[in-house]
Amino acid sequence: MSDLEVSVGDIRAAHGRIAEDVVRTPLLPASWAPGDLWLKAENLQPIGAFKLRGAVNAIRRLDPDVRARGVVTHSSGNHGQAVAWAARAAGVRAVIVMPEEATPVKVEATRALGAEVIMAPGARREIVAEAMGAERGMTLIPPFDHADVISGQGTLAVEVLADLSDIDTVLVPIGGGGLISGVGVAVKALSHRTRVVGVEPSLAADARDSLANGRRIEWGAQATYRTIADGTRTPVVGEITFPIIQVTVDEIVTVDEDDILAAVGTLARRAHLVAEPSGALSVAAYLAEPGKYGRAVAVLSGGNIDPPLLARALTLPT
């Protein structure tokens, strides 16, 4: 893996760099589930998602004079909140470009963290963010396709492997690939026997198709925006993340919308954890085939869910 843009050394360095700001989230046994399932509860981060790890690492890595000019990003919600939180902690300005379709709870949470929020059509949010950065002299912190962001996300795998030995499978949600890239590099360096399995909605399965075809396959926004798992609506995995996925990810599985929503409800009722649909993907995959994964860790990547959607999940029959 020496030719990849992120190494386990980068991830270890990031883990030390972000330790003062990022919660070392618990690894919780899911004794209510069949088999041997554990949950890495990243919904317990201050902004409710793993994204804080990458944002803090990337902003801390900036030269002080560059950081002082502020940061900008584009995000459907969790990365935007993470950048807003990390920028506030560093005492610098943040501009977050969010898609017009973003869930209101994520928009308001981002504003509450002190960031300037600019709404844009989903297909243009990256263009708008880049233009805003050029105009104001701010540094772009991409949501996934950036070595420092990937290194930060991978720190959760360092914690998992320190907390639990003899893991057969780590199940990881996939959007743009930043999380699974960091996790993949760490796991393959530190626990050779452990499989890394990505999980996508069947309505946004661009990473599955990309891995199967050996090249990045783009799904249009019209297709990916059908899924309730808004954190996975990215139409294509990143240029940096895809080569890492090819080397470190053993398999990508998909889950349907009913299973995703059912997993949200199950986590709330049985684990007493609030998960958004993207955050519940790994649990949905495990519950669909509990005998497939052995001793498994499911990354519960986020918990920022609109209350009406949570209420809908809780009314599903058990």
Side-chain angles (χ1 to χ4, degrees):
M1 297 194 298
S2 60
D3 58 341
L4 300 179
E5 293 211 24
V6 174
S7 70
V8 69
D10 296 327
I11 293 170
R12 286 192 182 280
H15 195 246
R17 190 177 296 119
I18 69 176
E20 293 182 2
D21 290 315
V22 174
V23 172
R24 194 186 195 284
T25 54
L27 187 63
L28 304 172
S31 56
W32 46 267
D36 191 357
L37 175 65
W38 297 73
L39 307 174
K40 180 61 170 170
E42 286 294 291
N43 61 318
L44 300 180
Q45 290 293 349
I47 57 94
F50 76 95
K51 291 282 191 178
L52 190 63
R53 296 174 180 271
V56 170
N57 189 51
I59 289 175
R60 279 184 171 267
R61 287 270 291 159
L62 295 174
D63 289 337
D65 58 336
V66 173
R67 185 168 56 239
R69 294 197 291 270
V71 293
V72 61
T73 195
H74 51 92
S75 168
S76 62
N78 286 341
H79 177 67
Q81 290 179 66
V83 170
W85 192 99
R88 186 178 69 177
V92 301
R93 296 175 301 146
V95 174
I96 315 298
V97 180
M98 302 186 74
E100 294 167 345
E101 304 85 357
T103 57
V105 68
K106 293 184 178 181
V107 175
E108 293 310 312
T110 305
R111 287 196 175 109
L113 288 166
E116 178 184 352
V117 175
I118 296 174
M119 307 304 293
R124 288 186 48 80
R125 62 184 182 178
E126 184 172 355
I127 296 170
V128 173
E130 289 174 351
M132 187 64 63
E135 177 185 325
R136 300 192 184 182
M138 300 172 116
T139 299
L140 180 70
I141 307 293
F144 54 86
D145 213 27
H146 188 283
D148 291 334
V149 171
I150 295 167
S151 298
Q153 318 305 26
T155 60
L156 73 83
V158 174
E159 296 171 5
V160 166
L161 293 169
D163 289 345
L164 187 67
S165 61
D166 299 325
I167 302 168
D168 296 309
T169 309
V170 178
L171 292 151
V172 188
I174 302 182
L179 174 59
I180 199 167
S181 295
V183 169
V185 169
V187 167
K188 293 306 180 183
L190 302 175
S191 181
H192 301 295
R193 63 175 294 273
T194 302
R195 299 180 75 241
V196 177
V197 175
V199 187
E200 283 185 304
S202 57
L203 296 182
D206 58 285
R208 177 203 62 189
D209 289 355
S210 297
L211 188 61
N213 286 276
R215 60 185 178 86
R216 294 163 69 230
I217 302 292
E218 182 170 351
W219 282 39
Q222 187 175 0
T224 62
Y225 270 74
R226 296 173 299 165
T227 180
I228 58 172
D230 61 310
T232 66
R233 290 172 179 166
T234 305
V236 64
V237 293
E239 293 181 7
I240 296 173
T241 63
F242 182 56
I244 301 175
I245 290 169
Q246 287 182 294
V247 172
T248 66
V249 175
D250 297 282
E251 182 184 5
I252 296 176
V253 300
T254 62
V255 289
D256 65 30
E257 300 295 290
D258 289 343
D259 285 345
I260 296 169
L261 199 59
V264 171
T266 297
L267 283 163
R269 287 189 299 265
R270 303 298 302 277
H272 314 295
L273 293 169
V274 174
E276 62 193 276
S278 303
L281 284 170
S282 295
V283 173
Y286 179 88
L287 294 177
E289 296 184 272
K292 177 179 178 179
Y293 301 108
R295 169 174 271 193
V297 172
V299 177
L300 204 169
S301 58
N304 295 312
I305 186 171
D306 261 350
L309 187 56
L310 178 59
R312 180 178 152 202
L314 289 171
T315 60
L316 294 174
T318 58

